[in-house]
Amino acid sequence: PSMSRTNVATGTLVTPAFVLKGSGTKRMLVRAVGPGLAAFGLPGTMENPKLTVFRGSTELTSNDDWSAADFLSELALATSYVGAFALDETSKDAATLTLVEPGAYTIQVSGTTASPTGEALVEVYEVP
């Protein structure tokens, strides 16, 4: 897994990256956790992060409010499988599953109008 915790300020984007080597398609779990960090006692967490995954300038997928994803049960199963901490089913955290080929990818994390700032944890896991 790859993880990065940062503070997202008003009007800014946090853009961590990951590079996938080898061959073949891999399934990746990507999460932007804000509210889920509050359960661990971290103050000032982002209340509603949004994440978008890009390859170059092409948007592959995005999520705002993982609990509204069409594939919520798959997200929960992948979270458990990779050993990540569970997210509350009604949280405003963001998470997505995406299939990727070898190459370089960026993840943009931003706040919403109602919650533009705060601490967020960005996680990337390969899901076997």
Side-chain angles (χ1 to χ4, degrees), residues 58 78 85 101 105 114:
T58 303
F85 61 90
E101 299 287 332
Y105 298 85

Side-chain angles (χ1 to χ4, degrees), residues 18 20 25-30 51-55 59-62 71 74-75 78 95-101 105-107 124-127:
F18 68 95
L20 186 64
T25 302
K26 304 289 185 188
R27 187 165 65 152
M28 307 300 287
L29 169 64
V30 182
L51 73 82
T52 307
V53 179
F54 291 89
R55 182 168 190 184
E59 180 180 325
L60 300 179
T61 187
S62 67
F71 47 92
E74 290 176 3
L75 278 171
T96 190
L97 285 169
T98 187
L99 293 173
V100 296
E101 299 287 332
Y105 298 85
T106 57
I107 306 159
V124 179
Y125 299 92
E126 181 180 345
V127 181

Side-chain angles (χ1 to χ4, degrees), residues 1 9 12-13 23 36 39-40 43 56 88 93 100-101 108 114 120-121 128:
T12 64
L13 295 172
S23 61
F40 296 102
D88 185 280
D93 295 300
V100 296
E101 299 287 332
Q108 288 186 349
L121 177 66

